[in-house]
Amino acid sequence: MQKYIQFADALSAWFGKAFAWLIILMTVGMSYEVMVRYLFNRPTPWALDISFMMYGTLFMMGGAYTLSRGGHVRGDFLYRLWSDRTQARVDLVLYLIFFFPGILALIFAGWKYAARSWSYGEVSVNSPAGIPIYQFKTVIVAAGILLFFQGIAQVMRCIICIRTGTWPPLDHDVEETETILMQQEANEHPHGPA
């Protein structure tokens, strides 16, 4: 199980980090659009569509990476009070009842949606540029498949935690700002507030 978890985490991280570069492309594209629109009064017909597609792709392809790092939003106000085993049992049930059916629906519905879009070379109706969007709709399927693989790893984490009583460690290549600030505060005042 550990080898599969490592594989899924590495796969999710690779895709998440690769698609994170879209942030730079979006920034450059939107900066260019603002410049030509307001300085030269020559707006581009493609900027809105391209920004939507890049942001959507970034969001969808980063989902599995975020899941692998425990970064998705959850109702921690109760969850954090439970023992690790209870957390793992609840997570396991929720993955089986909600996560996997939802992800499978995303994959199969996305496949039909993308196939139809490819069959007639769908273009955006939001701008006169007629930007092709069939490739963007394929991202729905790819994101679903990545989430499915990562979901299997998360189920394995739950099983390990139920057996051992502790969660297997997550990779931490990113950290919440709140956590960093709390650690800094603890380091500056190791014996509590003065």
Side-chain angles (χ1 to χ4, degrees):
M1 278 196 276
Q2 287 291 355
K3 289 216 182 285
Y4 181 83
I5 291 170
Q6 290 170 350
F7 161 75
D9 286 354
L11 182 69
S12 296
W14 189 89
F15 277 98
K17 290 175 182 179
F19 280 91
W21 287 98
L22 287 175
I23 294 170
I24 293 174
L25 291 176
M26 285 185 339
T27 302
V28 169
M30 291 299 96
S31 298
Y32 175 79
E33 169 62 18
V34 167
M35 183 181 73
V36 298
R37 177 180 296 262
Y38 294 107
L39 293 180
F40 306 114
N41 198 26
R42 309 241 335 139
T44 62
W46 48 262
L48 181 66
D49 289 322
I50 295 297
S51 68
F52 282 169
M53 286 191 281
M54 283 196 283
Y55 180 72
T57 300
L58 170 67
F59 182 79
M60 287 189 286
M61 295 305 286
Y65 174 58
T66 305
L67 182 61
S68 75
R69 300 312 193 252
H72 285 288
V73 175
R74 67 168 72 210
D76 280 348
F77 65 97
L78 286 177
Y79 184 87
R80 66 180 170 181
L81 301 174
W82 299 338
S83 70
D84 287 354
R85 276 197 171 102
T86 301
Q87 290 175 356
R89 287 182 185 117
V90 169
D91 281 1
L92 181 61
V93 169
L94 294 177
Y95 276 115
L96 297 176
I97 292 176
F98 295 109
F99 180 84
F100 284 110
I103 295 302
L104 288 172
L106 176 72
I107 293 169
F108 291 117
W111 181 268
K112 289 178 189 175
Y113 196 46
R116 187 171 56 237
S117 185
W118 276 88
S119 72
Y120 62 86
E122 186 177 7
V123 297
S124 173
V125 296
N126 294 325
S127 73
I131 304 293
I133 59 173
Y134 46 86
Q135 74 286 0
F136 174 60
K137 293 189 176 180
T138 306
V139 171
I140 298 168
V141 179
I145 291 168
L146 280 173
L147 279 166
F148 186 84
F149 287 144
Q150 189 60 48
I152 293 170
Q154 299 307 107
V155 164
M156 290 179 178
R157 279 190 169 96
C158 292
I159 292 168
I160 291 169
C161 183
I162 291 168
R163 288 180 181 168
T164 65
T166 59
W167 285 106
L170 297 173
D171 288 338
H172 288 289
D173 51 0
V174 292
E175 194 67 62
E176 291 284 337
T177 304
E178 177 185 356
T179 305
I180 294 170
L181 293 173
M182 288 172 46
Q183 288 171 349
Q184 287 174 349
E185 181 69 24
N187 291 340
E188 291 172 9
H189 304 288
H191 302 292

